[in-house]
């Protein structure tokens, strides 16, 4: 247990006599006791979740009875818990001990009815957040950035400059007009641009320049609509002007410039892998499925998810040209000579009168008179009698011969063994064309090129390990699915898992701000329209941007941050909730 030394100075309590009501003391003391037991297993996710729930109850009770000194300490503990959940703070004994010290001081002050807090207490809690990944050496050592800041608030300019560190050379201007002039005269690595809801000029500026260099937006607004608008205009990240947001500026600028540099160097073939339709097709093929063409009113494939894609044939052609998939010929199909459709009907006709009206049976031929007909027409009272000359047929091979499986036209009485064939097109209505008139279309199978599999895996992630894990637990699984509630549609989600009581939604979150935010907002909205318990996961291969991190925390989404595909299932199991 942490020993509390006598403080050098104190923060006064909120009153001199009976500051805390008996009910408050009883309730909050019990909650503080529970936090201590949770801290014993602080490095485990379940314990941290329990701690967060308890702290929120302490904050609520303290606000209702107006005890700001308790709220101040509890809020800082809450911020640490949120940062730990999002991955910004790594759970450690040092963090657990700092929280324990704060809790013990709150408990001690509560029992004495005199809240005496060490001056260093709040500062110690703040330092945990301040030091969290603050070095950012993985970004800072790469290069010193030359960044243009567009901001007309002098205090904001000062705070940004104070927190940006020595890895960024910051040049300031107060308007987008000045910025446009500077960008024509000098080269910058990135732009940090202030924006508010009414700033149409700033949105135009972002739209105009976001194709030539990375732009990070910074604002006092947390409105998700503004974030989406800014992302759509082309901003690479969005930072909220608050204590933690200002500290994120340096990391964000390095992150987006590194991503920008990486993308400018990648080949056209790698860019192809970022296309949503390409990713969907490759995910299907990576699951071990061999894609086969099927015959309908147009060429389709044995995969509903691929047939639902617009221009899937164009996408497949692009993948073949880039050698990501291999096209193997299987068989030829007859097609209409007029419209080339392979959705055709076959007509079987009498060779004599061209009618399609005949019956099938065995044919007998009378040797003496040469008459031939279906066997049924020779039968008479359990005997075989020639209907032409009325002679009885007794011995096969002597009196008559049998021809197996012949056809007789009901229109002209012609007997034949092989009907004439013609074709009608169900697509355009062209009818009566012959085999020699038709065109021949080659059908194909498609499969992943084994030589490109490693490259594909580096860019496209299959959630099959999680899929199989949930299937074994009795969940029904859907991949890349849109879900609908009350006429509203959400998604598509990379994975949808459902049982009788739970709905699990998982989305892969990339670095593109517009796409990432749309996916996070879809995860949140989908959870509001069902009576099931909804568990939402965001799977990330790198630390999220600041605004994505904020939305993940705000929406109650569970982040799964991994470095490679092999970590996916173990990390998911750690965070799995039923």
């Amino acid at each position: 247990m942490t020993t509390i030394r006598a403080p050098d100075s104190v923060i006064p309590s909120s009153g001199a006599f009976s500051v805390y009501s008996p009910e408050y003391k009883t309730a909050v003391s019990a909650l503080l006791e529970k936090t201590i037991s949770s801290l014993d297993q602080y490095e485990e996710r379940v314990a941290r979740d329990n701690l967060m729930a308890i702290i929120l109850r302490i904050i609520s009770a303290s606000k209702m009875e107006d005890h700001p000194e308790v709220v101040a300490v509890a809020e800082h503990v809450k911020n640490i818990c949120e940062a730990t959940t999002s991955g910004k703070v790594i759970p450690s004994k040092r963090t657990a001990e700092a929280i324990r010290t704060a809790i013990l001081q709150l408990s001690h002050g509560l029992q004495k009815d005199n809240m005496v807090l060490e001056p260093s207490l709040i500062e110690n809690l703040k330092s945990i957040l301040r030091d969290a990944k603050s070095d950012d050496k993985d970004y800072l050592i790469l290069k010193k950035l030359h960044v243009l800041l567009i901001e007309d608030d002098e205090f904001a300019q000062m705070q940004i400059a104070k927190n940006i560190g020595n890895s960024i050379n910051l040049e300031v201007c107060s308007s987008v007009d000045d910025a446009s002039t500077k960008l024509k005269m000098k080269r910058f690595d990135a732009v940090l641009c202030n924006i508010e809801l009414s700033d149409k000029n700033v949105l135009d500026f972002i739209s105009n320049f976001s194709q030539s260099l990375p732009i990070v937006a910074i604002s006092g607004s947390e409105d998700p609509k503004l974030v989406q608008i800014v992302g759509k205009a082309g901003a690479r990240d969005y930072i909220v002007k608050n204590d933690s947001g200002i500290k994120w500026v340096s990391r964000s600028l390095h992150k987006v410039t590194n991503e920008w540099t990486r993308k400018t160097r990648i080949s056209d073939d790698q860019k192809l892998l970022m296309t949503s339709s390409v990713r969907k097709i490759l995910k299907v093929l990576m699951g071990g499925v061999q894609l086969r063409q099927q015959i309908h009113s147009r060429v389709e494939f044995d995969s509903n998810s691929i047939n639902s894609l617009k221009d899937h044939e164009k996408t497949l052609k692009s993948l073949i040209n880039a050698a990501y998939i291999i096209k193997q010929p299987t068989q030829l199909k007859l097609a209409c000579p007029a419209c080339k459709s392979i959705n055709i009907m076959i007509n079987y006709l009498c060779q004599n009168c061209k009618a399609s009206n005949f019956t099938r049976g065995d044919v007998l031929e009378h040797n003496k008179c040469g008459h031939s007909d279906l066997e049924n027409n020779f039968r008479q009272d359990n005997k075989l009698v020639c209907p032409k000359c009325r002679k009885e047929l007794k011995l096969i091979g002597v009196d008559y011969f049998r021809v197996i499986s012949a056809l007789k036209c009901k229109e002209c009485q012609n007997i034949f063994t092989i009907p004439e064939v013609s074709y009608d097109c169900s697509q355009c209505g062209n009818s009566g064309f012959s085999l020699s008139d038709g065109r021949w279309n080659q059908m194909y199978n498609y499969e992943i090129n084994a030589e490109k599999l490693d490259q594909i895996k580096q860019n496209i992630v299959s959630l099959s390990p999680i899929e199989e894990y949930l299937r074994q637990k009795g969940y029904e699984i859907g991949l890349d699915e849109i879900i609908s509630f009350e006429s509203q549609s959400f998604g598509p989600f990379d994975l949808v898992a459902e049982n009788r009581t739970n709905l699990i939604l998982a989305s892969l979150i990339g670095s593109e701000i517009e796409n990432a935010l749309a996916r996070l907002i879809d995860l949140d909205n989908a959870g509001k329209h069902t009576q099931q318990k909804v568990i939402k996961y965001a799977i990330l291969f790198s630390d999220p941007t600041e605004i994505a991190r904020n939305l993940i925390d705000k929406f109650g989404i569970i982040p799964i941050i991994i470095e490679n595909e092999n970590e996916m299932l173990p990390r998911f199991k750690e965070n799995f909730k039923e």
Side-chain angles (χ1 to χ4, degrees), residues 292-354:
R292 296 180 177 87
Q293 286 183 322
Q294 294 180 329
I295 305 174
H296 293 284
S297 59
R298 60 190 178 91
V299 177
E300 294 190 352
F301 303 91
D302 53 353
S303 168
N304 290 333
S305 60
I306 289 178
N307 289 326
S308 66
L309 289 174
K310 204 173 183 181
D311 297 329
H312 53 253
E313 291 184 4
K314 183 179 177 182
T315 303
L316 284 168
K317 187 175 181 181
S318 298
L319 285 167
I320 293 164
N321 291 340
Y324 286 123
I325 64 175
I326 296 172
K327 180 180 180 181
Q328 301 277 18
T330 55
Q331 59 181 314
L332 290 169
K333 295 289 184 182
L334 186 67
C336 171
C339 71
K340 302 180 184 178
S341 170
I342 58 176
N343 189 16
I344 56 178
M345 293 181 62
I346 303 175
N347 305 309
Y348 297 98
L349 310 172
C350 170
Q351 295 175 341
N352 182 50
C353 70
K354 312 304 181 190

Coordinates of all heavy atoms in Angstrom, one line a residue, residues 292-354:
R292 N -16.0 -18.7 -60.2 CA -16.5 -19.3 -61.5 C -17.5 -18.5 -62.2 O -18.4 -18.0 -61.5 CB -17.0 -20.8 -61.3 CG -16.0 -21.7 -60.8 CD -16.6 -23.1 -60.6 NE -15.6 -24.1 -60.1 CZ -15.3 -24.3 -58.9 NH1 -15.9 -23.6 -57.9 NH2 -14.4 -25.2 -58.5
Q293 N -17.4 -18.4 -63.5 CA -18.5 -17.7 -64.2 C -19.7 -18.6 -64.3 O -19.6 -19.8 -64.4 CB -18.0 -17.3 -65.6 CG -17.0 -16.2 -65.7 CD -16.6 -15.9 -67.1 OE1 -16.5 -16.8 -67.9 NE2 -16.5 -14.6 -67.4
Q294 N -20.9 -17.9 -64.2 CA -22.1 -18.6 -64.4 C -23.0 -18.0 -65.5 O -22.7 -16.8 -65.9 CB -22.9 -18.6 -63.0 CG -22.2 -19.3 -61.9 CD -23.0 -19.3 -60.6 OE1 -23.7 -18.3 -60.3 NE2 -22.9 -20.3 -59.8
I295 N -24.0 -18.7 -65.9 CA -24.8 -18.2 -67.0 C -26.1 -17.7 -66.5 O -26.9 -18.4 -65.8 CB -25.2 -19.3 -68.0 CG1 -23.9 -20.0 -68.5 CG2 -26.0 -18.8 -69.2 CD1 -24.1 -21.2 -69.4
H296 N -26.3 -16.4 -66.7 CA -27.6 -15.8 -66.4 C -27.9 -14.8 -67.6 O -27.4 -15.1 -68.7 CB -27.6 -15.0 -65.1 CG -27.4 -15.9 -63.9 ND1 -28.4 -16.6 -63.4 CD2 -26.3 -16.2 -63.2 CE1 -28.0 -17.4 -62.4 NE2 -26.7 -17.1 -62.3
S297 N -28.7 -13.8 -67.4 CA -28.9 -12.8 -68.5 C -27.7 -12.1 -68.9 O -27.6 -11.5 -69.9 CB -30.0 -11.8 -68.1 OG -29.7 -11.1 -67.0
R298 N -26.7 -12.2 -68.0 CA -25.3 -11.6 -68.3 C -24.4 -12.5 -67.5 O -24.7 -13.4 -66.7 CB -25.2 -10.2 -67.8 CG -25.4 -10.0 -66.3 CD -25.5 -8.5 -66.0 NE -25.7 -8.3 -64.6 CZ -24.8 -8.2 -63.6 NH1 -23.5 -8.2 -64.0 NH2 -25.1 -8.0 -62.4
V299 N -23.1 -12.4 -67.8 CA -22.1 -13.2 -67.1 C -22.0 -12.8 -65.6 O -21.8 -11.6 -65.3 CB -20.7 -13.0 -67.7 CG1 -19.6 -13.8 -67.0 CG2 -20.7 -13.5 -69.2
E300 N -22.3 -13.8 -64.8 CA -22.2 -13.5 -63.3 C -21.2 -14.6 -62.7 O -20.7 -15.4 -63.5 CB -23.6 -13.6 -62.7 CG -24.5 -12.5 -63.1 CD -25.7 -12.4 -62.3 OE1 -26.0 -13.3 -61.5 OE2 -26.5 -11.4 -62.5
F301 N -21.1 -14.5 -61.4 CA -20.1 -15.4 -60.7 C -20.7 -16.1 -59.5 O -21.7 -15.6 -59.0 CB -18.9 -14.6 -60.3 CG -18.2 -13.8 -61.5 CD1 -18.6 -12.6 -61.8 CD2 -17.3 -14.5 -62.2 CE1 -18.0 -11.9 -62.9 CE2 -16.7 -13.8 -63.3 CZ -17.1 -12.5 -63.7
D302 N -20.1 -17.1 -59.1 CA -20.7 -17.9 -58.0 C -20.3 -17.2 -56.6 O -19.8 -17.8 -55.7 CB -20.2 -19.3 -58.0 CG -18.7 -19.5 -58.0 OD1 -18.0 -18.5 -58.2 OD2 -18.2 -20.6 -57.9
S303 N -20.6 -15.9 -56.6 CA -20.4 -15.1 -55.3 C -21.4 -13.9 -55.4 O -21.2 -13.0 -56.2 CB -19.0 -14.6 -55.2 OG -18.8 -13.7 -54.2
N304 N -22.3 -13.9 -54.5 CA -23.3 -12.8 -54.4 C -22.6 -11.5 -54.1 O -23.0 -10.5 -54.7 CB -24.4 -13.1 -53.3 CG -25.3 -14.2 -53.7 OD1 -25.5 -14.5 -54.9 ND2 -25.8 -14.9 -52.8
S305 N -21.6 -11.5 -53.3 CA -20.9 -10.3 -52.9 C -20.2 -9.6 -54.1 O -20.1 -8.4 -54.2 CB -19.9 -10.5 -51.8 OG -18.9 -11.4 -52.2
I306 N -19.7 -10.5 -55.0 CA -19.1 -9.9 -56.2 C -20.1 -9.5 -57.3 O -19.9 -8.4 -57.9 CB -18.1 -10.9 -56.8 CG1 -16.9 -11.1 -55.8 CG2 -17.6 -10.6 -58.2 CD1 -15.8 -12.1 -56.2
N307 N -21.1 -10.2 -57.4 CA -22.2 -9.8 -58.4 C -22.8 -8.5 -58.0 O -23.3 -7.8 -58.9 CB -23.2 -10.9 -58.5 CG -22.7 -12.1 -59.3 OD1 -21.9 -12.0 -60.1 ND2 -23.1 -13.3 -58.8
S308 N -22.8 -8.2 -56.7 CA -23.4 -6.9 -56.3 C -22.5 -5.7 -56.6 O -22.9 -4.6 -56.5 CB -23.7 -7.0 -54.8 OG -22.5 -7.0 -54.0
L309 N -21.2 -6.0 -56.9 CA -20.3 -4.9 -57.2 C -20.6 -4.3 -58.6 O -20.9 -5.0 -59.6 CB -18.9 -5.3 -57.2 CG -18.3 -5.7 -55.9 CD1 -16.9 -6.3 -56.1 CD2 -18.2 -4.5 -55.0
K310 N -20.6 -3.0 -58.7 CA -20.7 -2.3 -60.0 C -19.5 -2.5 -60.8 O -18.4 -2.4 -60.3 CB -21.0 -0.8 -59.7 CG -21.8 -0.1 -60.8 CD -22.2 1.3 -60.4 CE -23.0 1.9 -61.5 NZ -23.3 3.3 -61.2
D311 N -19.6 -2.8 -62.1 CA -18.4 -2.9 -63.0 C -17.4 -3.9 -62.5 O -16.2 -3.7 -62.5 CB -17.7 -1.5 -63.1 CG -18.6 -0.5 -63.8 OD1 -19.4 -0.9 -64.6 OD2 -18.4 0.7 -63.5
H312 N -18.0 -5.1 -62.0 CA -17.0 -6.1 -61.5 C -16.1 -6.7 -62.6 O -15.0 -7.0 -62.3 CB -17.8 -7.2 -60.7 CG -18.9 -7.9 -61.5 ND1 -20.2 -7.7 -61.2 CD2 -18.8 -8.7 -62.6 CE1 -20.9 -8.4 -62.1 NE2 -20.1 -9.0 -62.9
E313 N -16.6 -6.7 -63.8 CA -15.8 -7.2 -64.9 C -14.6 -6.3 -65.2 O -13.5 -6.8 -65.5 CB -16.7 -7.4 -66.2 CG -17.7 -8.5 -66.0 CD -18.5 -8.8 -67.3 OE1 -18.2 -8.1 -68.3 OE2 -19.4 -9.6 -67.3
K314 N -14.9 -5.0 -65.1 CA -13.8 -4.0 -65.2 C -12.7 -4.2 -64.1 O -11.5 -4.1 -64.4 CB -14.3 -2.6 -65.2 CG -13.3 -1.5 -65.5 CD -14.0 -0.2 -65.5 CE -13.0 0.9 -65.7 NZ -13.6 2.3 -65.6
T315 N -13.2 -4.4 -62.9 CA -12.3 -4.6 -61.8 C -11.5 -5.9 -61.9 O -10.3 -5.9 -61.7 CB -13.1 -4.7 -60.5 OG1 -13.9 -3.5 -60.3 CG2 -12.2 -4.8 -59.3
L316 N -12.1 -7.0 -62.4 CA -11.4 -8.2 -62.6 C -10.3 -8.0 -63.7 O -9.2 -8.6 -63.6 CB -12.4 -9.3 -63.0 CG -13.2 -9.9 -61.9 CD1 -14.4 -10.8 -62.5 CD2 -12.4 -10.7 -61.0
K317 N -10.7 -7.3 -64.7 CA -9.7 -7.0 -65.8 C -8.5 -6.3 -65.2 O -7.3 -6.6 -65.6 CB -10.3 -6.2 -66.9 CG -9.5 -6.1 -68.1 CD -10.2 -5.4 -69.3 CE -9.3 -5.2 -70.5 NZ -10.0 -4.6 -71.6
S318 N -8.7 -5.3 -64.4 CA -7.6 -4.6 -63.8 C -6.7 -5.5 -62.9 O -5.5 -5.4 -63.0 CB -8.1 -3.4 -62.9 OG -8.9 -2.5 -63.7
L319 N -7.3 -6.4 -62.2 CA -6.6 -7.3 -61.3 C -5.8 -8.3 -62.2 O -4.7 -8.7 -61.8 CB -7.5 -8.1 -60.4 CG -8.1 -7.3 -59.2 CD1 -9.3 -8.0 -58.6 CD2 -7.0 -7.0 -58.2
I320 N -6.3 -8.7 -63.3 CA -5.6 -9.6 -64.2 C -4.4 -8.9 -64.8 O -3.3 -9.4 -64.9 CB -6.5 -10.1 -65.3 CG1 -7.6 -11.0 -64.7 CG2 -5.8 -10.9 -66.4 CD1 -8.8 -11.3 -65.6
N321 N -4.6 -7.6 -65.3 CA -3.5 -6.9 -65.9 C -2.4 -6.6 -64.9 O -1.2 -6.6 -65.3 CB -4.1 -5.5 -66.4 CG -5.0 -5.7 -67.6 OD1 -5.0 -6.7 -68.3 ND2 -5.8 -4.7 -67.8
A322 N -2.7 -6.5 -63.6 CA -1.7 -6.3 -62.6 C -1.1 -7.6 -62.1 O -0.3 -7.6 -61.2 CB -2.3 -5.5 -61.4
A323 N -1.6 -8.7 -62.6 CA -1.2 -10.1 -62.3 C -1.5 -10.5 -60.9 O -0.8 -11.4 -60.3 CB 0.3 -10.2 -62.5
Y324 N -2.5 -9.8 -60.2 CA -2.9 -10.2 -58.9 C -3.7 -11.5 -58.9 O -3.7 -12.3 -58.0 CB -3.7 -9.1 -58.2 CG -2.8 -8.0 -57.7 CD1 -3.0 -6.7 -58.2 CD2 -1.7 -8.2 -56.9 CE1 -2.2 -5.6 -57.8 CE2 -0.9 -7.1 -56.5 CZ -1.1 -5.9 -56.9 OH -0.4 -4.8 -56.5
I325 N -4.5 -11.7 -60.0 CA -5.3 -12.9 -60.1 C -5.0 -13.5 -61.5 O -4.6 -12.8 -62.4 CB -6.8 -12.7 -59.9 CG1 -7.4 -11.7 -61.0 CG2 -7.1 -12.1 -58.6 CD1 -8.9 -11.6 -60.9
I326 N -5.3 -14.8 -61.6 CA -5.1 -15.6 -62.9 C -6.4 -16.0 -63.4 O -7.3 -16.4 -62.7 CB -4.2 -16.8 -62.6 CG1 -2.8 -16.4 -62.1 CG2 -4.1 -17.7 -63.8 CD1 -2.0 -17.5 -61.6
K327 N -6.6 -15.8 -64.7 CA -7.8 -16.2 -65.4 C -7.6 -17.5 -66.2 O -6.7 -17.6 -67.1 CB -8.1 -15.0 -66.4 CG -9.4 -15.2 -67.2 CD -9.5 -14.0 -68.1 CE -10.7 -14.0 -69.0 NZ -10.8 -12.8 -69.9
Q328 N -8.3 -18.5 -65.8 CA -8.1 -19.9 -66.4 C -9.4 -20.2 -67.3 O -10.5 -20.2 -66.8 CB -8.0 -20.9 -65.3 CG -6.8 -20.7 -64.4 CD -5.5 -21.2 -65.0 OE1 -5.4 -21.4 -66.2 NE2 -4.5 -21.3 -64.2
P329 N -9.2 -20.6 -68.6 CA -10.3 -21.0 -69.4 C -10.9 -22.3 -68.9 O -10.2 -23.2 -68.5 CB -9.7 -21.1 -70.8 CG -8.3 -21.3 -70.6 CD -7.9 -20.6 -69.3
T330 N -12.2 -22.4 -69.0 CA -12.9 -23.7 -68.5 C -13.6 -24.3 -69.7 O -13.4 -25.4 -70.1 CB -13.8 -23.4 -67.3 OG1 -14.8 -22.4 -67.7 CG2 -13.0 -23.0 -66.1
Q331 N -14.6 -23.6 -70.3 CA -15.4 -24.2 -71.3 C -16.0 -23.2 -72.2 O -16.1 -22.0 -71.8 CB -16.5 -25.1 -70.7 CG -17.5 -24.3 -69.8 CD -18.6 -25.2 -69.2 OE1 -19.2 -26.0 -70.0 NE2 -18.8 -25.1 -67.9
L332 N -16.4 -23.6 -73.4 CA -17.1 -22.7 -74.3 C -18.6 -22.7 -74.2 O -19.2 -23.8 -73.9 CB -16.7 -23.0 -75.8 CG -15.3 -22.8 -76.2 CD1 -15.0 -23.4 -77.5 CD2 -15.0 -21.3 -76.3
K333 N -19.3 -21.6 -74.3 CA -20.7 -21.5 -74.3 C -21.2 -20.8 -75.6 O -20.6 -19.8 -76.0 CB -21.2 -20.7 -73.1 CG -20.8 -21.3 -71.7 CD -21.6 -22.5 -71.5 CE -21.4 -23.1 -70.1 NZ -22.1 -24.3 -69.8
L334 N -22.3 -21.4 -76.1 CA -22.9 -20.8 -77.3 C -23.6 -19.5 -77.0 O -24.3 -19.4 -76.0 CB -23.9 -21.8 -77.9 CG -24.5 -21.3 -79.3 CD1 -23.4 -21.3 -80.4 CD2 -25.7 -22.2 -79.6
A335 N -23.4 -18.5 -77.8 CA -24.0 -17.1 -77.6 C -24.8 -16.7 -78.8 O -24.6 -17.1 -79.9 CB -22.9 -16.1 -77.2
C336 N -25.7 -15.8 -78.5 CA -26.5 -15.2 -79.6 C -25.7 -14.4 -80.6 O -24.9 -13.6 -80.2 CB -27.6 -14.3 -78.9 SG -28.6 -13.3 -80.1
P337 N -25.9 -14.6 -81.9 CA -25.1 -13.9 -82.9 C -25.5 -12.4 -82.9 O -24.7 -11.6 -83.4 CB -25.5 -14.5 -84.2 CG -26.8 -15.2 -84.0 CD -26.8 -15.6 -82.5
A338 N -26.6 -12.0 -82.4 CA -27.1 -10.6 -82.4 C -26.5 -9.8 -81.2 O -25.9 -8.8 -81.4 CB -28.6 -10.5 -82.5
C339 N -26.8 -10.3 -80.0 CA -26.4 -9.5 -78.8 C -25.3 -10.2 -78.0 O -24.9 -9.6 -77.0 CB -27.6 -9.3 -77.9 SG -28.2 -10.8 -77.1
K340 N -24.8 -11.3 -78.3 CA -23.7 -12.0 -77.7 C -24.1 -12.6 -76.3 O -23.2 -13.0 -75.5 CB -22.5 -11.1 -77.6 CG -22.0 -10.6 -78.9 CD -20.8 -9.7 -78.7 CE -20.3 -9.1 -80.0 NZ -19.2 -8.2 -79.9
S341 N -25.3 -12.6 -75.9 CA -25.8 -13.1 -74.6 C -25.6 -14.7 -74.7 O -25.9 -15.3 -75.7 CB -27.2 -12.7 -74.3 OG -27.7 -13.5 -73.2
I342 N -25.3 -15.2 -73.5 CA -25.2 -16.7 -73.4 C -26.4 -17.2 -72.7 O -26.5 -18.4 -72.5 CB -23.9 -17.2 -72.7 CG1 -23.8 -16.6 -71.3 CG2 -22.7 -16.8 -73.5 CD1 -22.7 -17.1 -70.5
N343 N -27.4 -16.4 -72.5 CA -28.7 -16.8 -71.9 C -29.6 -17.2 -73.0 O -30.4 -16.4 -73.5 CB -29.3 -15.7 -71.0 CG -30.5 -16.2 -70.2 OD1 -30.7 -17.4 -70.1 ND2 -31.2 -15.3 -69.7
I344 N -29.5 -18.4 -73.5 CA -30.3 -18.8 -74.7 C -31.1 -20.1 -74.4 O -30.7 -20.9 -73.5 CB -29.3 -19.1 -75.9 CG1 -28.3 -20.1 -75.6 CG2 -28.7 -17.8 -76.4 CD1 -27.3 -20.5 -76.7
M345 N -32.2 -20.3 -75.1 CA -33.0 -21.4 -75.0 C -32.8 -22.3 -76.2 O -32.6 -21.9 -77.3 CB -34.5 -21.0 -74.9 CG -34.9 -20.3 -73.6 SD -36.6 -19.9 -73.6 CE -37.3 -21.5 -73.6
I346 N -32.9 -23.7 -76.0 CA -32.6 -24.6 -77.0 C -34.0 -25.2 -77.5 O -34.8 -25.6 -76.7 CB -31.7 -25.8 -76.6 CG1 -30.4 -25.2 -76.0 CG2 -31.5 -26.8 -77.7 CD1 -29.5 -26.3 -75.5
N347 N -34.2 -25.2 -78.8 CA -35.5 -25.8 -79.4 C -35.1 -27.1 -80.1 O -34.2 -27.2 -80.9 CB -36.1 -24.8 -80.4 CG -36.3 -23.5 -79.8 OD1 -37.0 -23.4 -78.8 ND2 -35.9 -22.4 -80.5
Y348 N -35.9 -28.2 -79.8 CA -35.7 -29.5 -80.5 C -36.9 -29.7 -81.5 O -38.1 -29.6 -81.1 CB -35.7 -30.6 -79.5 CG -34.5 -30.4 -78.5 CD1 -34.7 -29.9 -77.3 CD2 -33.2 -30.8 -78.9 CE1 -33.6 -29.7 -76.4 CE2 -32.1 -30.7 -78.1 CZ -32.3 -30.1 -76.8 OH -31.3 -30.0 -76.0
L349 N -36.6 -29.9 -82.8 CA -37.6 -29.9 -83.8 C -37.6 -31.2 -84.6 O -36.6 -31.9 -84.8 CB -37.3 -28.7 -84.8 CG -37.0 -27.3 -84.1 CD1 -36.5 -26.4 -85.2 CD2 -38.3 -26.8 -83.4
C350 N -38.8 -31.4 -85.2 CA -38.9 -32.5 -86.2 C -38.1 -32.2 -87.4 O -38.2 -31.0 -88.0 CB -40.4 -32.7 -86.6 SG -40.7 -33.8 -88.0
Q351 N -37.3 -33.1 -87.9 CA -36.5 -32.9 -89.1 C -37.3 -32.6 -90.4 O -36.8 -32.0 -91.3 CB -35.5 -34.1 -89.3 CG -34.5 -34.3 -88.2 CD -33.7 -35.6 -88.4 OE1 -34.1 -36.5 -89.1 NE2 -32.6 -35.6 -87.7
N352 N -38.5 -33.1 -90.4 CA -39.4 -33.0 -91.6 C -40.2 -31.7 -91.6 O -40.1 -30.9 -92.5 CB -40.3 -34.2 -91.7 CG -41.2 -34.2 -92.9 OD1 -40.6 -34.0 -94.0 ND2 -42.5 -34.4 -92.7
C353 N -41.0 -31.5 -90.6 CA -41.9 -30.3 -90.6 C -41.5 -29.2 -89.7 O -42.2 -28.2 -89.6 CB -43.3 -30.8 -90.3 SG -43.6 -31.3 -88.5
K354 N -40.4 -29.4 -88.9 CA -39.9 -28.4 -88.0 C -40.8 -28.1 -86.8 O -40.6 -27.1 -86.1 CB -39.6 -27.0 -88.7 CG -38.8 -27.1 -90.0 CD -37.5 -27.9 -89.8 CE -36.7 -28.0 -91.1 NZ -35.6 -28.9 -91.1

